[in-house]
Amino acid sequence: MSENNTPRILVLNGPNLNLLGTREPEIYGHETLSDVEELCRAAAGKSGYEIEFLQSNHEGVLIDAIHAARGAVAGIVFNPGAFTHTSVALADAISGVQLPVIEVHISNVHRREAFRHHSYISPVAASIIVGAGVNGYVLGVQQLIHLAGK
Ligand code: DQA
C-alpha cells in the first residue's frame, strides 16, 4: 500500500528492455518501454491501482527493487530479460519476499534458442505469460489484480 492507500503494482524490467522499440523489432515489436508503462498504468487505473515502473540493466538493482517491494505493492509484473535464464539470485529474492510475481516475456521463448527454454524465475512465479507481445504486461497487471481480489 502506498501512503495514500492506493494499492500499487510494481512493473519491473531487466536488461536491454530499455531498448524496446529499436531492439530486434521483428522479435520484440515496435512499442517502446514508455508505451508499455502507459499500457500498464491504463490497465491498473481501471481497477484503482497505481503502477511503479522500473527498468535496470543491473541484477543487484533488480534484487533491491524486489526487496523494497515487500509490504509496498500487491505484487510484481516482472520481465527479467536474459537474467531469466541465469539468475538464481533473482529467484531467491522472489522467494524471500513472498509476493506474487507474474513472469512476462514479450517473445515466445519456447520457439527460440534452447538456452531460453529454461527459466530460474518460473518455479517461483505465480503465473507466466509468454509470446503475447507487450500485451503480456497488461495481462500480467490484470492477473495480479485478479489474485489480489481472491
Ligand atoms: C525476453 C526473452 C529473453 O530470453 C531475452 O533475453 C530478453 C527478453 C522477452 O521479453 O521475450 O531480453 O525476456
Side-chain angles (χ1 to χ4, degrees), residues 15-17 23 28 79-82 84-85 104-107 109 112 116:
N16 301 306
L17 289 158
R23 170 196 187 197
Y28 298 112
N79 184 347
T84 306
H85 319 298
V104 171
H105 300 288
I106 297 166
S107 64
V109 283
R112 300 181 62 195
R116 295 186 204 275

Side-chain angles (χ1 to χ4, degrees), residues 7-140:
R8 299 172 83 83
I9 287 169
L10 173 62
V11 179
L12 193 56
N13 279 283
N16 301 306
L17 289 158
N18 53 312
L19 301 180
L20 213 56
T22 58
R23 170 196 187 197
E24 301 177 272
E26 66 289 356
I27 296 175
Y28 298 112
H30 292 279
E31 286 100 337
T32 66
L33 201 59
S34 336
D35 295 333
V36 170
E37 183 171 353
E38 240 174 77
L39 288 170
C40 290
R41 287 195 195 284
K46 281 184 192 159
S47 301
Y49 278 73
E50 282 178 1
I51 294 290
E52 277 175 34
F53 201 86
L54 181 76
Q55 185 275 334
S56 177
N57 294 321
H58 305 278
E59 194 174 12
V61 173
L62 297 168
I63 292 169
D64 288 345
I66 292 167
H67 292 178
R70 177 155 52 178
V73 301
I76 306 174
V77 175
F78 189 21
N79 184 347
F83 288 148
T84 306
H85 319 298
T86 63
S87 182
V88 175
L90 281 170
D92 282 353
I94 292 167
S95 304
V97 298
Q98 297 277 306
L99 276 173
V101 170
I102 315 298
E103 178 183 353
V104 171
H105 300 288
I106 297 166
S107 64
N108 179 353
V109 283
H110 298 290
R111 246 201 223 165
R112 300 181 62 195
E113 304 96 318
F115 67 83
R116 295 186 204 275
H117 298 178
H118 176 261
S119 167
Y120 282 99
I121 308 305
S122 295
V124 295
S127 317
I128 304 158
I129 300 166
V130 302
V134 295
N135 191 48
Y137 292 91
V138 172
L139 297 172

